[in-house]
């Protein structure tokens, strides 16, 4: 049985879904090994902040969250197509996935719920509620980062406060973000934790959209640097680009941000791909959307920092056709573009998931075929030369986001 699934935070849905602030970066289709209808509130025993693993959970190559905006699921699949499992648990209509410190999380944004899942197969192991009474509807959690002590740091898009859940599901603290946008909510969209000079720092991307004008990007976006030990905001750094959208890629001491600006324009000067240096808290828009030929919806960078990929969308009204572009993360030079893509373009916003698994680039496709929904796999040779494999991975729901890490 297939689980109910995600609401879109795609370019075409940005005007509707995001306006209601139930926005979501679409998540990838998936398959899983058995799970119960209700995950435990806190799995026991809890080891170093992480639920104990179940030895019956068969390992797969990639954990993935899937959905068709009416149902969703979380699970795993093998890159050779030899195995895939789908679980029948209702995990909400608006899912995301986060991977941090070797732990994996399914974020049910419309349900204010975080499920920690087994990174080998996607089996839900623990359930955490992050609802805020001040929110009208969902507080819309976006991402999860794990600190060294096992605490979970969670930005929420609809509430101007960062949640910090103590290890093993203990008491929750908050860090107010209300002062970082004049409208009272800076639209926190992603988080990463990195060591800087021997101290843990949390980096939180703020879209800073106009809540009074259909959540349009009209002012500079920013990055907060927060000291993890004291939960104190140390700095607000203005970003070079606008509207950091979805999860940040992390490689070689840098964070890479997809910055589409506004999806109804594909040539904005302050949009593209930004590189943020965590050691110096300095940032540069290294690749413009004009050079890529479309608005950047998601970015992924290989572990060695030598090859980057992005899903880019054009500004076609009601369509937002998508393609896979590539770029050099060191120089920012665009390699494959929307007009000469690695894959695509599609007729609509059909390419939704993107991630590296070692030297393999995974692309999720929501177009239905007789075999299901394809996950396209590209093998890397050299610095950033990619060759597509024959399609052998097909899922029961469209792939929207992968929980894969290099």
């Amino acid at each position: 049985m297939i689980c109910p699934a995600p609401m879109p935070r795609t370019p075409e849905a940005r005007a509707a879904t995001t306006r209601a602030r139930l926005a979501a970066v679409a998540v990838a289709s998936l398959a899983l090994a058995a799970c119960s209808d209700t995950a435990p509130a806190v799995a026991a025993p809890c080891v170093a902040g992480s639920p104990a693993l179940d030895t019956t959970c068969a390992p797969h190559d990639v954990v993935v969250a899937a959905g068709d905006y009416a149902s969703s699921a979380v699970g795993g699949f093998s890159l050779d197509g030899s195995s895939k499992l789908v679980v029948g648990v209702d995990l909400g209509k608006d899912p995301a996935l986060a991977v941090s410190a070797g732990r994996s999380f399914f974020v049910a944004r419309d349900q204010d719920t975080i499920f920690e899942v087994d990174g080998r197969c996607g089996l839900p192991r623990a359930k955490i509620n992050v609802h805020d009474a001040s929110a009208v509807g969902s507080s819309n959690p976006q991402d999860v980062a794990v600190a060294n002590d096992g605490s979970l740091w969670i930005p929420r898009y609809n509430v101007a406060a960062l949640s910090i859940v103590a290890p093993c599901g203990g008491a929750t603290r908050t860090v107010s973000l209300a002062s970082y946008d004049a409208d009272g909510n800076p639209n926190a969209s992603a988080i990463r934790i990195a060591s800087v000079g021997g101290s843990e720092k949390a980096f939180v991307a703020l879209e800073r959209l106009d809540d009074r004008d259909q959540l349009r990007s009209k002012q500079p976006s920013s990055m907060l640097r927060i000291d993890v030990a004291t939960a104190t905001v140390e700095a607000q750094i203005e970003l070079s680009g606008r509207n950091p959208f979805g999860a940040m890629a992390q490689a070689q001491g840098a964070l890479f941000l997809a910055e589409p600006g506004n999806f109804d324009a594909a040539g904005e000067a302050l949009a593209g791909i930004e590189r943020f240096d965590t050691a110096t808290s300095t940032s540069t828009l290294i690749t413009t959307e004009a050079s890529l030929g479309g608005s950047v919806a998601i970015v992924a960078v290989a572990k060695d920092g030598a090859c980057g990929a992005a899903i880019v969308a054009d500004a076609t009204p009601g369509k937002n056709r998508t393609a896979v572009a590539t770029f050099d993360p060191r120089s920012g030079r665009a390699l494959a573009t929307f007009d000469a893509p690695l894959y695509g373009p599609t007729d609509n916003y059909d390419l939704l998931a993107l991630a590296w698994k070692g030297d393999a680039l995974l692309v999720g496709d929501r177009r239905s075929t007789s075999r299901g929904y394809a996950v396209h796999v590209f093998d890397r040779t050299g610095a950033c030369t990619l060759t597509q494999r024959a399609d052998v991975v097909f899922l029961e729901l469209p792939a929207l986001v992968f929980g894969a890490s290099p």
Side-chain angles (χ1 to χ4, degrees), residues 23-367:
V25 183
V27 231
S29 220
L30 50 209
L32 192 151
C35 73
S36 61
D37 285 340
T38 305
V42 177
C46 177
V47 181
S50 180
L53 297 178
D54 184 342
T55 56
T56 65
C57 182
H60 294 77
D61 292 328
V62 180
V63 169
V64 62
D68 56 8
Y69 310 138
S71 61
S72 67
V74 61
F77 63 87
S78 298
L79 291 179
D80 62 5
S82 62
S83 64
K84 59 181 182 290
L85 302 164
V86 175
V87 181
V89 176
D90 182 352
L91 298 179
K93 297 179 180 179
D94 185 12
L97 279 175
V99 177
S100 178
R103 295 167 64 180
S104 299
F105 303 88
F106 181 98
V107 184
R109 287 182 280 209
D110 61 321
Q111 295 187 357
D112 274 341
T113 302
I114 310 293
F115 294 90
E116 179 153 9
V117 300
D118 193 313
R120 300 168 302 167
C121 66
L123 179 68
R125 307 301 306 156
K127 178 181 178 181
I128 300 168
N129 187 303
V130 292
H131 181 65
D132 190 300
S134 67
V136 178
S138 168
S139 65
N140 204 354
Q142 293 289 297
D143 200 359
V144 181
V146 181
N148 285 340
D149 66 358
S151 59
L152 308 182
W153 292 58
I154 304 164
R156 295 174 296 173
Y157 197 81
N158 291 3
V159 174
L162 181 74
S163 282
I164 306 172
V165 180
C168 301
T172 299
R173 295 178 292 156
T174 59
V175 176
S176 176
L177 307 179
S179 63
Y180 298 102
D181 196 339
D183 66 16
N185 182 14
N187 315 109
S189 60
I191 187 170
R192 289 289 183 268
I193 291 177
S195 177
V196 178
S199 299
E200 277 190 298
K201 307 296 179 183
F203 294 90
V204 182
L206 305 180
E207 293 181 352
R208 301 184 75 235
L209 305 181
D210 189 337
D211 288 25
R212 301 180 182 91
D213 185 11
Q214 303 176 357
L215 291 181
R216 292 189 63 79
S217 178
K218 299 165 63 175
Q219 64 179 335
S221 300
S222 60
M223 182 80 78
L224 294 184
R225 186 182 71 237
I226 303 174
D227 181 66
V228 170
T230 62
T232 302
V233 177
E234 295 181 332
Q236 180 183 16
I237 301 98
E238 183 175 312
L239 294 174
S240 300
R242 301 277 177 93
N243 190 11
F245 189 77
M248 297 181 281
Q250 189 169 11
Q252 299 296 303
L255 303 175
F256 294 85
L257 293 77
E259 293 176 333
N262 295 296
F263 277 108
D264 57 3
E268 296 165 290
L270 300 178
I273 297 170
E274 185 152 353
R275 183 187 187 277
F276 185 96
D277 188 311
T278 56
T280 62
S281 288
T282 56
S283 198
T284 305
L285 189 69
I286 60 170
T287 312
T288 64
E289 74 174 16
S291 67
L292 293 167
S295 296
V296 184
I298 182 171
V299 64
V301 176
K303 186 176 182 179
D304 64 2
C307 186
I311 292 177
V312 295
D314 74 1
T316 307
K319 285 182 174 289
N320 288 119
R321 298 182 303 153
T322 48
V324 180
T326 58
F327 66 98
D328 183 339
R330 298 161 299 190
S331 68
R333 183 168 66 94
L335 302 174
T337 66
F338 186 91
D339 292 327
L342 175 68
Y343 186 86
T346 65
D347 290 336
N348 295 288
Y349 192 86
D350 292 321
L351 304 180
L352 298 176
L354 186 73
W356 289 92
K357 181 63 177 179
D359 280 328
L361 179 69
L362 314 179
V363 179
D365 194 329
R366 72 172 185 175
R367 292 174 296 180

